[in-house]
Every structure is written in structure tokens, then in C-alpha cells.
Amino acid sequence: QLGDIADVDIPRREPADVVESLVSDLGLSETVREESLRSFEHYRPADDGSLSAPELAAGAVFFASTTIREPIDLEELADSIGFAPANVSDAMNSVFVSLCRRLVRGEIAYEECSWTADLLESDHIAEIGDPHTGRVVAAAKTYIAGREGEHVDEGTLDVLLGNE
């Protein structure tokens, strides 16, 4: 690594700093900023460290925008960090899966999740991410439905049971 050879500190931007820049540069709402930063409070990155700070930030912004139903242009978001749209989608899926898994395991307080009501009302579970993401989201939706005394829709059951 250059930092080791040259004995200098190479500054690295944190995902939260990138979120601030994205919100400003793309003219996104304060709510998107807050929800993006809140997702970092609960997000646990994969052990492989496969996401860079810009990818993670864009994934969190995409997740927040999707959750609060604020339109966002995926191409523009991806261009603003210099990555392909697929990278941003993968990062959003990583954030979403991490949050859902932590919710179901009881590591995130249900009452503190602003996105749970939207998830419960969603009919698009099978369309979210790859099959793994869909199954994790379906499990979270089932958990939320149980807490709310609601029934799980047929599409969610199909995903959980592998009938995608």
C-alpha cells in the first residue's frame, strides 16, 4: 500500500461524508439524507469489505429514496460516484439485507425502523434484488406482519417457500 511505503496518511472519505455530498449535488431532500445516515447506524458490512465508501453511500441513498418513495435517477446517482448502476443496486441490496437480518434477529428495535410499515405494505417482494435479497426481505416482512397482527400475502409466502 502506498500509505505504508511513503509513510503518509491517505485521507479516505467515510460513507457519511459521501452521503452529504450526494444529497447536496443531486438536490435530494433532508429526509433522504437523514434516512441514509440512519441506515449506517444499523448497517453491518459484509466481512469481505467488498463495498467502497462511495458505493455504500449511494446504496444507502438509493435505499432511503426508495423507502420514502422519493424519485431518484439511478443512472445519475451511479454517475455521481463513478460506478455502474449495478454497483449501486448491489450496495442497496447489501444495506437492505443487513437491516432486515438485524431486524429479524432483534438487533434493531422494531419501533426505530421507519421503513417497516412501507415494507409490510409492499407487494413487490419478488422484484427486489436477487433471490437471496428477496428471501431475506420476505422473512422481515413476515416478522413485521406477526408483530402487527397482520397476515402475510401470497407473494411473500411464495418467496419464503421458494416458489418464486
Side-chain angles (χ1 to χ4, degrees):
Q1 295 225 342
L2 181 60
D4 295 335
I5 296 170
D7 195 30
V8 294
D9 285 331
I10 299 173
R12 300 182 206 282
R13 290 182 74 189
E14 294 296 319
D17 298 328
V18 179
V19 165
E20 297 289 351
S21 295
L22 288 171
V23 168
S24 175
D25 295 348
L26 300 175
L28 301 172
S29 71
E30 180 65 17
T31 305
V32 167
R33 185 187 79 74
E34 290 170 1
E35 290 302 318
S36 299
L37 295 175
R38 184 170 298 136
S39 69
F40 292 142
E41 294 172 13
H42 300 294
Y43 175 74
R44 296 297 175 262
D47 292 332
D48 62 9
S50 61
L51 295 175
S52 67
E55 287 173 302
L56 183 55
V61 166
F62 192 38
F63 171 72
S65 296
T66 301
T67 300
I68 66 166
R69 294 185 174 108
E70 181 173 314
I72 190 164
D73 183 328
L74 178 59
E75 298 271 336
E76 183 181 16
L77 178 60
D79 285 346
S80 68
I81 62 163
F83 284 86
N87 293 73
V88 175
S89 293
D90 289 347
M92 192 223 30
N93 291 338
S94 178
V95 169
F96 203 11
V97 164
S98 176
L99 296 177
C100 286
R101 291 178 65 91
R102 295 196 71 229
L103 174 69
V104 171
R105 287 193 305 247
E107 296 171 5
I108 297 175
Y110 170 77
E111 298 79 17
E112 295 175 10
C113 296
S114 60
W115 47 270
T116 54
D118 293 325
L119 181 60
L120 181 58
E121 295 170 6
S122 173
D123 294 330
H124 306 291
I125 295 299
E127 299 169 16
I128 297 174
D130 57 24
H132 172 72
T133 301
R135 284 190 300 277
V136 173
V137 171
K141 184 173 178 177
T142 303
Y143 169 80
I144 294 164
R147 289 196 54 104
E148 295 291 329
E150 303 263 343
H151 296 285
V152 176
D153 61 87
E154 201 64 36
T156 301
L157 285 175
D158 287 346
V159 172
L160 281 171
L161 301 174
N163 302 330
E164 301 173 82

